Amino acid sequence: MSQHAVRPSLSQHAVRPGCNPSPPSMPCGPAVTCPLPAWPEAQQRGTSPPSVRAAPPPEEPRPSTLCGPAERLKFVFGSSAVAALDLVDQHSVTRIVSPSGRAVYQVLGSSGKLYTCYASCHFCTCPAFAFSVLRKNNSLMCKHILAMYLSQATGACQELSVSDQQLASILLAEEEEEGLGTMC
């Protein structure tokens, strides 16, 4: 039996019994003899040593069904993801902050109506949120809340600073218009 000195790859060599799995450029080592014929000798005979398995051919890269961020969002959030991205692209999200640190978001919906979103309690005043999220429980969030989070993440959110009284007026006007009572 000869000492194994040349190996095609570490993955092929690792299946040979008695050989030290050292880096491919290193021989098995002086104390370890390979029970199989040396690799070049086996190649000359046109056969492979019996315990050496050929590496499987590399897999073809499969085309991904989710190509980009928009498709991934659509996979998780459904059809509201595309609508939310449209709202972000149109700069329809405004963060309204007061000196006390309170903040709400107003999102101009695709219908032209202004909806108020509360990041602190994950709430939107739109009918889709009330129906799909709260009542039916078949959505994680409406497109307005998703647009709010996306605009925060991308820095596409407009900022509006108002006084505490102005913020209270905005919230009360929304509450009276919707007839919602107290929120959050």
Side-chain angles (χ1 to χ4, degrees):
M1 297 206 194
S2 63
Q3 184 173 359
H4 176 71
V6 178
R7 293 183 295 209
S9 73
L10 183 59
S11 64
Q12 290 176 342
H13 179 69
V15 296
R16 293 182 183 188
C19 291
N20 182 14
S22 57
S25 61
M26 302 292 293
C28 289
V32 179
T33 56
C34 187
L36 302 173
W39 184 255
E41 293 169 14
Q43 282 182 327
Q44 289 172 357
R45 288 191 312 245
T47 61
S48 296
S51 65
V52 175
R53 292 183 213 127
E59 287 187 28
E60 292 286 324
R62 294 185 303 179
S64 175
T65 56
L66 302 175
C67 299
E71 287 80 10
R72 289 183 182 101
L73 286 170
K74 188 175 179 185
F75 179 76
V76 174
F77 296 106
S79 61
S80 64
V82 175
L85 288 169
D86 287 340
L87 293 173
V88 172
D89 286 343
Q90 295 167 8
H91 299 284
S92 298
V93 182
T94 303
R95 180 175 185 250
I96 302 172
V97 292
S98 68
S100 64
R102 292 180 176 89
V104 298
Y105 292 83
Q106 287 194 327
V107 181
L108 183 61
S110 53
S111 65
K113 185 156 176 27
L114 200 60
Y115 298 105
T116 303
C117 297
Y118 302 88
S120 60
C121 61
H122 190 77
F123 182 83
C124 180
T125 58
C126 75
F129 184 84
F131 184 74
S132 296
V133 178
L134 297 178
R135 181 169 285 164
K136 292 287 233 174
N137 201 24
N138 63 1
S139 291
L140 295 171
M141 61 187 72
C142 65
K143 65 182 179 182
H144 308 108
I145 291 181
L146 183 55
M148 173 188 70
Y149 289 132
L150 290 172
S151 67
Q152 282 178 326
T154 60
C157 190
Q158 299 178 37
E159 292 276 332
L160 177 63
S161 296
V162 297
S163 69
D164 287 323
Q165 291 175 334
Q166 289 172 320
L167 182 60
S169 297
I170 291 169
L171 297 177
L172 288 173
E174 181 73 32
E175 188 174 299
E176 289 172 2
E177 184 178 307
E178 296 293 326
L180 294 174
T182 60
M183 293 181 276
C184 301

